[in-house]
Structure formats: C-alpha cells, structure tokens
C-alpha cells in the first residue's frame, strides 16, 4: 500500500528536474529571437543618428555685429600703434642725440645715456607686448556675445532637427561627412543668426 501511494504521487506531479529542463528549453528557444530583435532595434537607432556641421568662422563673419567688432578692434589697434610710433620717435631722437655727442661725453655720462636708451628700448618692447595682449583680450571680450548667440542658435537648430551633435568644420576638423547622416547647416544657421536680436 505504501508503494502505491508513492507511485500515485510521482505520476501526479512532474519531477523538479523536468520542470527546470522545460524552463531552460523555453529560454534557449526564445533567446535568439530576443537578441535578433535587440540588434534590429540598434540598427534602426543608428540609421536615425543625425548630426549637423558648420564653419564657426563663417557663421561669426556673417553676423552684422562682427563688422562692428572688427571696426572697434581696428580703432583700438590704431591707438596703440600711434602711441608705439610716438615712443619710437622719441627713442630715435634721443638715440640721434646720443650718437652726435658720444665722442664728447665723459665715460660716466656715456654709460648713463646708454642705460637710458636701453631702458626706453625695453619699455617700448614691453609696451608693444602689453598692447598686443590688451588688444587680444578686448577682441575676446567683444566676440563673446557673438559666441553666445551662435551657441543659442545651435541649440535651437539642433533641437528642432533632432541632431545628436553639431561639429565645427574649421581647421579641416571634418575631412569627410556621410551626407545621409550629416547635414551642412551653414546657411540655416546664418539665417537664424540674422533674425536673432
């Protein structure tokens, strides 16, 4: 009687081992189709991956504000050049005086005048370097609002067109573009910049 209960019990419930076998069989059968579906989804995502490209320099130069910045920089450079020319002329006059009188100067006066000329020359060189640094700094500060405007326009355009990113082509940074994925946005960007206030 005991055997019949065990036999009866074993026939009614499948063994735990056979359940795991069936479960693994189902998983292994479904796995290839799930992987294939995932690969197809990635291919579709790659096909939809778009980007824009443009020339930062062209965009900057197309802005009306750029001409004003260039005009202001030319005026500032002229001021510094005029001052450098004045200092150079002053140096040349003192140098001519030195050359004319050097035969008659006592050795201590000769050394003093040479030191004065060297000091003036050093100051003129330092002035030119500082002037160039100040001009470069003024240019960067004057162009920053234009850069900010380009950045805002790029963000708008990229959002509208669904670009993953936008590349700057200046300096041969982008030697090849796949036209099916990348779009030249120079003209569109310039139009947006013209309409922005």
């Amino acid at each position: 009687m005991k055997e019949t209960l065990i036999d009866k019990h074993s026939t009614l419930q499948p063994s735990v081992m056979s359940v795991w076998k069936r479960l693994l069989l189902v998983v292994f059968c479904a796995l290839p189709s799930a992987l294939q579906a995932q690969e197809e989804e990635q291919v579709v995502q790659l096909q939809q991956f778009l980007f824009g490209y443009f020339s930062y320099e062209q965009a900057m130069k197309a802005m009306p504000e750029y001409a004003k910045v260039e005009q202001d920089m030319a005026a500032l450079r002229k001021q510094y050049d005029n001052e450098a020319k004045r200092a150079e002329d002053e140096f040349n006059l003192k140098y001519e005086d030195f050359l004319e009188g050097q035969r008659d100067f006592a050795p201590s006066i000769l050394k003093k005048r040479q030191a004065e000329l060297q000091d003036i020359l050093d100051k003129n060189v330092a002035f030119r370097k500082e002037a160039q640094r100040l001009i470069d700094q003024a240019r960067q500060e004057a162009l920053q609002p234009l850069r900010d405007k380009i950045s805002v326009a790029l963000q708008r355009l990229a959002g509208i067109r669904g670009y993953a990113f936008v590349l700057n082509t200046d300096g041969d940074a982008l030697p090849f573009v796949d036209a099916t994925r990348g779009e030249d946005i120079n003209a569109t960007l310039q139009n947006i910049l013209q309409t922005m206030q």
Side-chain angles (χ1 to χ4, degrees), residues 36-106:
Q36 184 178 4
Q38 186 178 8
E39 287 176 9
E40 288 174 1
E41 182 178 324
Q42 288 175 344
V43 168
V44 168
Q45 287 175 349
L46 285 176
Q47 289 173 345
Q48 295 172 355
F49 187 72
L50 300 174
F51 64 93
Y53 58 93
F54 76 110
S55 167
Y56 203 94
E57 187 177 334
Q58 283 181 7
M60 182 84 69
K61 288 180 177 179
M63 298 172 73
E65 300 94 328
Y66 184 80
K68 174 77 168 115
V69 168
E70 287 298 306
Q71 189 178 34
D72 292 347
M73 290 301 102
L76 183 61
R77 183 174 299 281
K78 184 173 175 127
Q79 288 177 355
Y80 281 114
D81 286 346
N82 289 341
E83 180 59 25
K85 177 74 171 126
R86 187 200 62 75
E88 185 180 320
D89 290 345
E90 180 182 319
F91 172 80
N92 288 338
L93 285 174
K94 288 189 179 198
Y95 185 67
E96 287 173 11
D97 289 343
F98 171 78
L99 290 177
E100 287 175 8
Q102 73 178 347
R103 290 184 205 115
D104 302 330
F105 294 144

Side-chain angles (χ1 to χ4, degrees), residues 119-138:
D119 184 51
I120 292 171
L121 185 63
D122 292 343
K123 286 181 181 178
N124 287 348
V125 169
F127 174 77
R128 285 207 177 263
K129 286 181 181 178
E130 179 66 6
Q132 186 59 50
R133 186 191 70 77
L134 291 171
I135 289 169
D136 292 343
Q137 180 181 349

